[in-house]
């Protein structure tokens, strides 16, 4: 069995049976520069605390799987260089060889399951990349959602992806895709897309009940809560479309592929929007953290599976 290293506040929450929300760490190591990355991570953690739950930022540090980070560990990770970006395929190898890595959506879900954490807040999930019919570039996040029983709160899939194909794959895999408070799927930086949401829920109680019912029915996998970005922070899809197209063209021209694609695209979109995309990203992550904490509280009130 793998040894999990719990941060003190997470260990206390576990002992008390109080709600915990998992957080990924790639937003710290691959999402923005220091010190803004650490400042943002601390804001997200505090948002969860303010909502009555305990944050558990997950990362692999020197071969140890950490469920929650101390302030010093968070600061150290935020300044670390050459941190691996971990998904299902390479997470075990990183731990076994004593490496340090930040967890993507898929890896965070795996760690959350190991730690008994049922809710995870992130920015946006990975999905089907544009041109996947030629490249076969599809995120492992989608398969993870179909087999790991964690409710993931995100602002939809990242807008740089092929959203219709991403939704189609999720439906094929049997993943519940639930829009929060609206009938269309959010598109990360934009509140709405032209895609109808397969499911809609308007309150955290219903989301928690659906999570518990899946467990009671023996259904594998989690559920995706698509939580729209706050209206004050959104960037209209029409504004983003030519910017995303330019970033995609540049990535193709420079031969960028694999795990390097998403960080490159997000970086270029940040530059082309004069930083507005990052501000929107921070707002949506904080919004997702609030909803995730509310869901976690309701799961605790309902009781264990």
């Amino acid at each position: 069995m793998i040894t999990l290293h719990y941060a003190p506040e997470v260990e206390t929450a576990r002992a008390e049976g109080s709600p915990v929300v998992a957080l990924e760490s790639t937003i710290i190591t691959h999402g923005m520069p220091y010190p803004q990355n650490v400042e943002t991570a601390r804001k997200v953690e505090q948002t969860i605390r303010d909502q009555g739950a305990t944050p558990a930022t997950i990362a692999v540090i020197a071969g140890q799987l950490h469920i929650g980070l101390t302030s010093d560990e968070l600061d150290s990770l935020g300044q670390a260089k050459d941190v691996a970006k971990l998904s299902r395929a390479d997470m075990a190898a990183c731990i076994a060889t004593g490496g340090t890595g930040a967890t993507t959506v898929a890896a965070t879900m795996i760690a959350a399951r190991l730690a008994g954490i049922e809710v995870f807040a992130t920015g946006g999930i990975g999905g089907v990349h544009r041109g996947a019919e030629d490249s076969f570039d599809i995120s492992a996040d989608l398969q993870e959602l179909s087999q790991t029983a964690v409710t993931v709160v995100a602002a939809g899939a990242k807008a740089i992806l092929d959203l219709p194909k991403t939704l189609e794959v999720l439906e094929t895999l049997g993943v519940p895709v639930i829009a929060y408070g609206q009938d269309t799927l959010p598109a990360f930086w934009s509140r709405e897309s032209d895609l109808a949401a397969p499911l809609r829920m308007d309150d955290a109680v219903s989301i928690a009940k659906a999570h518990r019912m899946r467990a009671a029915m023996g259904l594998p996998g989690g559920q995706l809560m698509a939580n729209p970005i706050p209206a004050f922070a959104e960037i209209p899809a029409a504004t983003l479309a030519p910017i995303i197209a330019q970033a995609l063209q540049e990535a193709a021209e420079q031969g960028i592929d694999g795990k390097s694609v998403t960080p490159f695209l997000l970086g270029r979109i940040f530059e082309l929007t004069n930083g507005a995309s990052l501000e929107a990203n921070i707002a949506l992550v904080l919004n997702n953290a609030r909803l995730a904490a509310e869901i976690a509280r309701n799961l605790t009130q309902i009781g264990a599976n």
Side-chain angles (χ1 to χ4, degrees), residues 1-12:
M1 282 291 292
I2 183 172
T3 299
L4 305 181
H5 294 262
Y6 293 98
E9 68 172 326
V10 178
E11 190 68 77
T12 298

Side-chain angles (χ1 to χ4, degrees), residues 11 15 40 54 88 92 142 229 232 261 263 281 302:
E11 190 68 77
T40 299
T54 298
R88 167 172 280 268
L142 304 187
I229 184 174
F232 74 85
V261 172
N281 200 356
I302 292 171

Side-chain angles (χ1 to χ4, degrees), residues 108-297:
T108 305
M109 290 182 72
I110 292 168
R113 175 184 58 78
L114 291 170
I117 300 172
E118 299 178 278
V119 185
F120 162 36
T122 186
I125 64 164
V128 180
H129 282 261
R130 302 187 193 200
E133 60 271 21
D134 297 317
S135 67
F136 290 89
D137 192 351
I138 301 174
S139 172
D141 295 352
L142 304 187
Q143 190 74 42
E144 204 62 50
L145 277 160
S146 74
Q147 59 190 27
T148 301
V150 175
T151 288
V152 178
V153 182
K158 295 181 176 70
I160 56 178
L161 303 169
D162 188 320
L163 298 185
K165 287 188 176 66
T166 297
L167 179 59
E168 188 63 40
V169 170
L170 286 168
E171 289 179 346
T172 299
L173 293 172
V175 176
V177 179
I178 308 166
Y180 185 66
Q182 62 184 41
D183 296 320
T184 59
L185 285 176
F188 197 59
W189 294 301
S190 307
R191 286 181 61 81
E192 296 191 15
S193 68
D194 56 2
L195 297 172
L199 296 165
R200 169 179 173 165
M201 291 185 182
D202 297 340
D203 58 84
V205 176
S206 299
I207 299 163
K209 286 180 177 178
H211 180 104
R212 286 281 182 260
M213 184 56 68
R214 289 184 61 80
M217 296 174 67
L219 293 171
Q223 52 187 12
L224 174 63
M225 282 307 309
N227 185 30
I229 184 174
F232 74 85
E234 82 162 325
I235 304 174
T239 301
L240 281 169
I243 292 172
I244 292 173
Q246 179 180 338
L248 287 164
Q249 181 178 350
E250 292 175 2
E253 290 172 350
Q254 296 179 37
I256 295 169
D257 56 16
K259 288 186 177 182
S260 300
V261 172
T262 296
F264 173 83
L265 292 175
L266 295 179
R268 282 298 288 139
I269 292 167
F270 168 78
E271 294 167 356
L272 295 168
T273 60
N274 296 315
S277 64
L278 181 56
E279 293 304 314
N281 200 356
I282 292 170
L284 65 85
V285 171
L286 292 171
N287 193 46
N288 295 341
R290 282 188 286 271
L291 178 57
E294 190 176 356
I295 296 167
R297 289 202 322 271

Side-chain angles (χ1 to χ4, degrees), residues 28 38 41-42 45 57 69-78:
I28 301 168
V38 173
R42 289 198 171 109
E45 290 191 341
T57 300
L69 300 178
T70 65
S71 181
D72 287 345
E73 288 167 344
L74 183 60
D75 197 67
S76 178
L77 184 66

